[in-house]
Amino acid sequence: MTLSAALSFDIKAVDVASNARRGTLQTGHGRVETPTFMAVGTRATVTGLTPADLADIGAQVVLGNTYHLMLRPGPELFRRVGGIHAFMGWSGPVLTDSGGYQIFSLAEDRTLSERGARFRSYTDQRMHMLSPERSIEMQTAIGSDIMMVLDVCVDSRSDEATLRDAMERTHRWAKRSLDARTNPAQALFAIVQGGVRRELRKESAGVLTAMPFDGFAIGGLAVGDARAEREDMTHFSAELLPRDRPRYLMGVGTPADLLEAIAAGVDMFDCILPTHLAWQGTAFTGTGRVRLTRGPNAQADVPLDAECTCSTCRLYSRAYLHHLFKCSEPLGPRLVSLHNLHHYHALMAEARRAIEAGTYAAFAKRKLEAIDRHEH
Ligand code: PRF
Ligand code: ZN
């Protein structure tokens, strides 16, 4: 079904025993098969990887961050070069986060008001203002295919008054973001907040879905909540969102989190975990996480993951990867980033096939049991 000039979303199949959906998102820069995982490219780069690497891994869409990109290189540069696709050499779809989460987690000397967030730049120590309008203006300059509204993200276990204030301001800012949109070719998603409180999540979904957004995100999770609370909120929130729009769970999570959220009917994910852990020498495999710097890997003349078809696993041994990390060689994090992202994308591809076959619930159960067996 066509949502706006910017985006269309078609659901091809729904699982029999869960709410998992198999869809296709059509953007101005190509198609995205859902459920999908978005590699995090905060500063218009997935650290250490080229767009060709990303395509090899099976990446379909890359995430950039308004907060970082507004400070450096700034909107004028994006306007001059014609946007992020040309700038970073990635011709596929791009989603930009609004800066709401970075204001909450990174900004120094921050003061929040109804107008927006004032904070100090980490690049030149000057004060900046990020308002809903300014975030849309910046995302318009970046030229992302999907923009996110500026939201107020607080600790998910804050007291009710704090959660309510953040949620209500998020709703007012969502309306202002809609009004500030100037380019109909760029989609805009709203973000449901409300912490770990069901009544707030319900209210938030109700207010936001009454407005004409192209898709809806579930925000404010994985910020202080436990896994069980996160799963409950994900299932509860996803069911409150319109069936015909894409659903995006922000900043979550482990392979187990993703399998659970797909069963809840979530279509899109992003998380720094696969790339962040790669830089520490930790790899995801079908039999749990591997810490490559550990002693026994020094002599392990075997692939990182015998089941994996990525270039790292085809060409190099654990011993070689261990050696690269011990010598702080930049090839180490690069090869493990390639593998970890391949692992996440392969999991999504398997999930998509299982949904098409109507066997997702059984598939997810089997995968979750394997993860639990190896990680506990
Ligand atoms: N809001 C925005 N980005 C986000 C989050 C949010 O709540 C989260 C929370 N997990 C990650 N990224 N705008
Ligand atoms: Zn691999």
Side-chain angles (χ1 to χ4, degrees):
M1 140 189 207
T2 298
L3 301 176
S4 70
L7 205 69
S8 67
F9 184 57
D10 286 295
I11 295 182
K12 294 177 164 178
V14 180
D15 186 41
V16 184
S18 76
N19 291 328
R21 311 111 67 78
R22 167 75 183 90
T24 303
L25 198 59
Q26 182 71 48
T27 77
H29 286 89
R31 288 153 66 99
V32 180
E33 304 298 338
T34 67
T36 193
F37 180 79
M38 302 184 280
V40 178
T42 293
R43 298 179 178 84
T45 166
V46 178
T47 306
L49 305 188
T50 65
D53 293 331
L54 295 172
D56 282 347
I57 291 159
Q60 310 180 82
V61 43
V62 171
L63 178 141
N65 274 112
T66 303
Y67 173 80
H68 298 83
L69 296 173
M70 78 181 268
L71 298 177
R72 196 160 49 200
E76 291 74 23
L77 185 282
F78 281 105
R79 286 190 198 107
R80 198 171 333 123
V81 304
I84 193 169
H85 300 86
F87 184 51
M88 70 179 284
W90 167 257
S91 56
V94 173
L95 179 146
T96 39
D97 198 357
S98 55
Y101 181 67
Q102 282 68 37
I103 294 289
F104 162 76
S105 60
L106 299 177
E108 287 174 35
D109 294 350
R110 148 198 71 176
T111 40
L112 236 63
S113 68
E114 190 59 24
R115 205 175 133 226
R118 268 179 71 75
F119 63 95
R120 190 175 297 285
S121 164
Y122 64 92
T123 60
D124 62 6
Q125 317 309 317
R126 297 208 329 243
M127 293 305 287
H128 286 257
M129 175 65 165
L130 187 59
S131 62
E133 293 79 10
R134 180 99 180 93
S135 180
I136 294 295
E137 187 190 345
M138 183 63 211
Q139 294 182 77
T140 304
I142 294 171
S144 52
D145 300 280
I146 302 175
M147 307 185 287
M148 303 300 302
V149 300
L150 189 69
D151 56 335
V152 185
C153 185
V154 294
D155 191 303
S156 61
R157 285 173 163 173
S158 305
D159 61 73
E160 188 178 352
T162 304
L163 287 171
R164 169 165 288 284
D165 283 352
M167 177 193 80
E168 289 180 348
R169 182 168 278 166
T170 294
H171 298 166
R172 292 189 296 271
W173 284 8
K175 171 75 171 66
R176 279 167 55 186
S177 303
L178 260 185
D179 293 343
R181 169 153 61 159
T182 54
N183 181 2
Q186 291 176 275
L188 181 61
F189 284 17
I191 305 173
V192 173
Q193 291 288 346
V196 294
R197 304 190 78 97
R198 282 185 169 213
E199 71 283 7
L200 294 184
R201 290 274 166 189
K202 183 154 197 225
E203 188 175 332
S204 189
V207 170
L208 294 171
T209 59
M211 294 187 245
F213 288 104
D214 302 297
F216 296 91
I218 302 168
L221 292 177
V223 282
D225 36 280
R227 180 171 159 187
E229 285 174 312
R230 184 155 68 243
E231 279 173 18
D232 179 51
M233 283 304 120
T234 303
H235 279 267
F236 186 75
S237 305
E239 283 194 26
L240 299 167
L241 297 175
R243 288 183 172 276
D244 63 352
R245 306 284 150 115
R247 302 167 179 156
Y248 164 25
L249 178 59
M250 306 190 83
V252 177
T254 63
D257 286 329
L258 268 52
L259 288 163
E260 277 292 343
I262 290 171
V266 173
D267 309 298
M268 303 164 69
F269 301 91
D270 80 276
C271 191
I272 58 164
L273 211 54
T275 36
H276 182 82
L277 288 184
W279 282 77
Q280 299 175 0
T282 298
F284 288 93
T285 75
T287 52
R289 294 185 192 183
V290 172
R291 298 242 324 254
L292 283 157
T293 48
R294 290 224 170 125
N297 288 313
Q299 305 299 327
D301 190 22
V302 295
L304 173 50
D305 183 347
E307 308 288 305
C308 180
T309 59
C310 87
S311 57
T312 299
C313 292
R314 274 189 282 116
L315 297 171
Y316 309 100
S317 65
R318 286 192 186 190
Y320 182 60
L321 297 169
H322 172 90
H323 164 74
L324 293 176
F325 274 94
K326 282 292 170 189
C327 302
S328 302
E329 282 289 342
L331 187 57
R334 181 177 140 73
L335 293 179
V336 180
S337 292
L338 282 168
H339 165 80
N340 279 355
L341 284 178
H342 183 277
H343 183 81
Y344 268 62
H345 285 93
L347 182 69
M348 294 294 106
E350 272 191 279
R352 290 195 294 267
R353 285 193 294 273
I355 301 169
E356 283 169 12
T359 57
Y360 181 78
F363 160 81
K365 184 161 180 279
R366 198 169 68 241
K367 284 271 174 191
L368 286 166
E369 280 167 3
I371 292 169
D372 280 343
R373 205 163 46 241
H374 291 293
E375 308 231 314
H376 300 289

